[in-house]
């Protein structure tokens, strides 16, 4: 029997209009364009200014972009996986609302929360549903309104993050194209280095937690950087080794956009020149769950059927991993 693989057959994306530049950040905190550019590679990021709109707004826009580009009937979607670190609400799953809003009335949906690795883990999850043979169309959305958890008086975090969303459609493939292999990892040692202290069951919100700014994201940047730079490169090397891939066999690295220096280290380890590395950190910053699909949106026209892509991410938890995927279409 021919094996079913899970192929990406369409992509869509959305970023809000408002552009938060390094120059604007210079007026908010003690920082400068030169420091931000050389330490991170970021020049600007997009921010969803409307205070009455949450992550679902971004996700719906990205999904609608995909649906429209692909001319897809949303009633055919079987499952919507919503990868996010900033759900609209702590309990009612954001994906469920998004699925209803886009007309995916025959789908079931859930949120997948794994910090910056949410989308990567979501790819693995989506693939398992497709490979089972039972589900034919799985929509994976990565969206985050990071501005909702960022303290714009903290220069160590406010320069990094941005808002955005991307979506991909997974469908069955019988030509051995799609998700080929993966190497996913996690380690709870990271819990204290990248987190939001309050608002969960461990520390429910109080007037004190709000006053102490404990609902904002905290990052021990140096420590996270050390783990990220070695671990992201390690998993890329591992997934290449598992599949007998040399640098010249890989057409694209699709890396989480957290810091240009982390991406460069992974590309170096894989033996890839800059031209094979998807990069949009300069214009969007770190959009957490949206970085990988937004890369696909930006580079879609350059991708060819059969191209070998290596996706990689590292995030809070710690969570990290790499996925090897063969691209399914020419656009
Ligand atoms: O996506 C999830 C995973 N996250 C990551 O992968 C992020 C990993 N970490 C990083 O990307 C980097 O650690 C940062 C970009 C967050 C920080 O860069 P760094 O090179 O690690 O800087 P640092 O924290 O070691 O700080 C170096 C200096 C410090 O000053 P002193 O102590 O040397 O005098 C900081 O106070 O830079 C200072 N600094 C800044 N200066 C200007 C920290 N933030 C800023 C700033 N502007 N925004």
């Amino acid at each position: 029997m021919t094996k079913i693989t899970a192929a990406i057959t369409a992509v869509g994306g959305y970023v809000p209009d408002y552009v938060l530049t390094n120059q604007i950040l210079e007026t908010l905190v003690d920082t400068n364009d030169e420091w931000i550019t050389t330490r991170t590679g970021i020049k600007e990021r997009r921010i969803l200014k409307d205070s009455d709109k949450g992550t679902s707004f971004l996700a719906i826009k990205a999904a609608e972009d995909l649906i429209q580009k692909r001319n897809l009937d949303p009633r055919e979607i079987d499952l919507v996986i919503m990868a996010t670190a900033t759900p609209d609400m702590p309990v009612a799953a954001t994906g469920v609302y998004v699925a209803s809003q886009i007309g995916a009335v025959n789908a079931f949906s859930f949120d997948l929360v794994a910090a910056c690795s949410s989308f990567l883990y979501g790819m693995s999850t989506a693939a398992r549903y497709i490979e089972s043979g039972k589900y034919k169309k799985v929509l994976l959305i990565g969206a985050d309104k990071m501005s909702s958890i960022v303290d714009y008086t903290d220069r160590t975090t406010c320069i990094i993050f941005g808002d955005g969303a991307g979506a991909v459609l997974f469908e069955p493939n019988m030509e051995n194209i799609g998700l080929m292999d993966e190497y996913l990892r996690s380690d709870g040692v990271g819990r204290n280095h990248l987190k939001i202290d309050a608002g969960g069951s461990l520390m429910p919100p109080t007037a004190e937690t709000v006053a102490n700014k404990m609902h904002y994201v905290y990052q021990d940047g140096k420590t996270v950087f050390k783990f990220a730079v070695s671990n992201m490169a390690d998993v890329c090397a591992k997934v290449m080794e598992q599949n007998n891939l040399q640098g010249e066999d890989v057409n694209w690295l699709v890396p989480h956009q957290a810091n240009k220096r982390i991406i460069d280290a992974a590309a170096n380890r894989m033996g890839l020149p800059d031209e094979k590395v998807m990069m949009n950190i300069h214009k969007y910053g770190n959009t957490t769950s949206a970085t990988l699909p937004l890369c696909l949106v930006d580079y879609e026209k350059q991708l060819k059927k059969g191209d070998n892509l290596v996706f990689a991410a590292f995030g809070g938890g710690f969570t990290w991993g790499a996925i090897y995927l063969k691209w399914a279409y020419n656009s």
Side-chain angles (χ1 to χ4, degrees):
M1 215 174 80
T2 317
K3 196 175 149 224
I4 302 171
T5 47
I8 293 179
T9 55
V11 302
Y14 176 77
V15 289
D17 293 334
Y18 180 79
V19 181
L20 178 61
T21 61
N22 289 350
Q23 287 70 26
I24 298 172
L25 283 169
E26 285 176 3
T27 68
L28 301 177
V29 290
D30 180 15
T31 190
N32 57 77
D33 175 52
E34 206 258 327
W35 191 95
I36 301 173
T37 307
T38 53
R39 305 311 290 167
T40 70
I42 303 168
K43 291 303 246 181
E44 56 189 47
R45 45 314 272 138
R46 300 302 184 94
I47 303 294
L48 181 60
K49 280 290 196 182
D50 317 52
S51 56
D52 62 337
K53 293 187 171 71
T55 292
S56 62
F57 176 82
L58 304 166
I60 290 165
K61 289 277 194 192
E64 286 174 347
D65 182 47
L66 181 151
I67 288 166
Q68 185 256 321
K69 270 169 68 183
R70 170 63 199 272
N71 200 15
L72 175 72
D73 180 350
R75 290 171 300 187
E76 290 177 14
I77 299 170
D78 301 304
L79 163 61
V80 176
I81 302 176
M82 178 75 225
T84 187
T86 54
D88 279 7
M89 300 173 187
V91 174
T94 304
V96 174
Y97 175 71
V98 170
S100 296
Q101 292 299 304
I102 62 173
V105 290
N106 296 311
F108 76 105
S109 176
F110 57 84
D111 290 358
L112 196 159
V113 181
C116 291
S117 302
S118 303
F119 191 86
L120 190 86
Y121 286 9
M123 290 175 66
S124 167
T125 310
R128 298 299 94 78
Y129 279 99
I130 294 289
E131 289 159 4
S132 76
K134 195 168 158 74
Y135 303 91
K136 309 291 182 209
K137 285 186 171 51
V138 176
L139 183 68
L140 170 63
I141 309 172
D144 270 302
K145 185 183 174 186
M146 292 306 292
S147 60
S148 66
I149 55 168
V150 165
D151 176 2
Y152 285 92
T153 66
D154 174 7
R155 71 174 181 172
T156 67
T157 51
C158 75
I159 57 132
I160 297 169
F161 296 105
D163 301 338
V168 302
L169 184 69
F170 276 96
E171 292 186 272
N173 183 286
M174 310 300 262
E175 302 173 292
N176 206 28
I177 278 181
L179 200 148
M180 298 286 109
D181 195 17
E182 62 190 35
Y183 184 64
L184 305 181
R185 308 287 306 130
S186 69
D187 186 344
V189 73
R191 172 159 147 149
N192 288 322
H193 303 299
L194 179 44
K195 60 179 175 176
I196 295 178
D197 274 312
S201 57
L202 194 60
M203 195 186 291
T206 62
E208 198 188 353
T209 60
V210 173
N212 290 333
K213 299 186 167 191
M214 296 170 89
H215 295 269
Y216 290 126
V217 69
Y218 160 83
Q219 175 173 248
D220 168 6
K222 234 183 203 118
T223 305
V224 178
F225 185 90
K226 264 187 216 149
F227 275 91
V229 84
S230 56
N231 283 313
M232 207 166 95
D234 280 354
V235 289
C236 290
K238 178 83 177 172
V239 90
M240 284 172 72
E241 185 193 312
Q242 283 176 180
N243 294 279
N244 293 319
L245 296 171
Q246 308 300 318
E248 60 266 24
D249 303 320
V250 176
N251 300 95
W252 295 98
L253 169 63
V254 192
H256 173 52
Q257 311 279 307
N259 189 314
K260 186 173 182 300
R261 291 183 288 144
I262 297 172
I263 297 171
D264 289 345
N268 244 338
R269 179 82 174 276
M270 296 167 75
L272 297 188
D274 288 353
E275 311 86 75
K276 289 184 168 188
V277 181
M278 294 192 189
M279 191 86 77
N280 56 19
I281 191 169
H282 53 287
K283 51 180 185 171
Y284 302 142
N286 181 352
T287 54
T288 301
S289 311
T291 59
L292 300 180
L294 281 174
C295 279
L296 294 179
V297 171
D298 282 358
Y299 285 82
E300 184 184 21
K301 290 207 162 50
Q302 297 180 54
L303 296 174
K304 295 188 186 60
K305 185 174 177 182
D307 274 359
N308 289 324
L309 277 58
V310 174
F311 293 74
F314 185 92
F318 294 129
T319 53
W320 73 101
I323 286 179
Y324 164 38
L325 176 138
K326 265 189 189 298
W327 194 248
Y329 63 95
N330 301 314
S331 38

